[in-house]
Structures are given as C-alpha cells and as structure tokens.
Amino acid sequence: MNATDSRALSLCQRLKFPVAGDRRGNLTFVEGQRHIPFDIKRVYYLYDVPSGSARAGHAHKKLEQVVIAMAGSFDVTLDDGFSKTTFHLNRPHEGLYLPAMIWRDLNNFSSGAVCLAIASDAFDESDYFRDYNDFLRAVGVAAQK
C-alpha cells in the first residue's frame, strides 16, 4: 500500500457467524473460505489479561486475521497509517476481519475476557512490524518523532 491507496482500513469489517440455538444454549461455528475470507492455518487465544493492559501493538505484512471476543469484551483500535478506528467486540458470534498491513492495538479488556484469533498462516516473526515507525514507512507515511 502507498500514500495514494488508504483503503486498507475500509477492508476491516465485522463478520457475523451462524448461531444454532435452542433451549440448551447456542452453538456458533466458523469455516475458512466460507465465514472468513481465508484458509485457517493457526488459532490462538488471549486470556487473563490484567486490567489496564494492552495487547498486540503490531501489524502484519501478509497475514490476515479474524479476532473474536469469546467471553467478555475488549476494544480493537486499527490504523492503516492514514486513519484510525476502534471497534468494541463483545459477542462470540461476531468477529473482526483484519487484512494485512493494519496496525492493531487491543485494550480495555473486561474481567474474564477471552480473545480468539484465527490466522491465515503459521507464526512467522519476519511477517511482523513491531515498530510503528517502520510500519508507517512501509505504508508510505513519514515516521513520527
């Protein structure tokens, strides 16, 4: 992406997953290439996040993700280098799609929150931008001081 193409943030969107419910409770399922726009290669989850803590603070060069609040709630702030937006997640039958080249910060975790992340690829440290200024340079924005 370059300075003339700041559409990346518009690609981030809420996804609604099927809910099969009856008097016994609800069941939600997610299938790669059907409910999310990629094949599932990795799943991980965050839990027991201390009050006031933040997670993420990075972007991916190629990896796509969907994050879901399996329990409790949290905020996801997304930044494509040109603009920012924040989503509040609190429903286990909804996810947030994050394409590549989006800086993400997760914070405001409620007590007992569980964040499930579904990823398009296995862990690869070389796919990460962990320094915000490096990310800004990659998307064609002058780094911040």
Side-chain angles (χ1 to χ4, degrees):
M1 182 168 78
N2 59 44
T4 62
D5 182 12
S6 62
R7 300 177 313 106
L9 204 55
S10 68
L11 298 175
C12 301
Q13 59 183 307
R14 285 185 190 270
L15 304 175
K16 294 193 184 277
F17 306 126
V19 177
D22 62 25
R23 62 182 174 78
R24 301 169 296 166
N26 294 322
L27 179 142
T28 292
F29 58 95
V30 177
E31 297 174 358
Q33 295 295 347
R34 184 171 175 196
H35 303 111
I36 58 174
F38 54 80
D39 289 327
I40 298 168
K41 300 288 178 85
R42 180 170 52 123
V43 175
Y44 63 94
Y45 46 97
L46 306 170
Y47 59 98
D48 292 341
V49 178
S51 179
S53 294
R55 296 295 310 238
H58 65 268
H60 291 281
K61 297 172 185 174
K62 296 180 182 175
L63 184 94
E64 300 170 79
Q65 288 183 314
V66 171
V67 294
I68 304 167
M70 298 303 294
S73 65
F74 53 89
D75 293 336
V76 183
T77 300
L78 305 175
D79 178 350
D80 65 4
F82 301 91
S83 58
K84 294 181 183 183
T85 191
T86 299
F87 291 86
H88 182 71
L89 299 182
N90 63 354
R91 294 184 174 102
H93 63 279
E94 289 184 0
L96 180 60
Y97 171 66
L98 308 177
M101 299 303 289
I102 296 291
W103 189 270
R104 75 278 323 264
D105 287 299
L106 280 65
N107 55 41
N108 197 26
F109 285 84
S110 69
S111 178
V114 177
C115 171
L116 178 73
I118 301 170
S120 65
D121 212 345
F123 175 81
D124 178 1
E125 182 61 35
S126 68
D127 184 61
Y128 283 76
F129 285 106
R130 295 196 185 272
D131 180 273
Y132 186 66
N133 286 324
D134 291 343
F135 167 72
L136 289 177
R137 282 188 285 276
V139 297
V141 177
Q144 297 179 354
K145 293 183 181 187

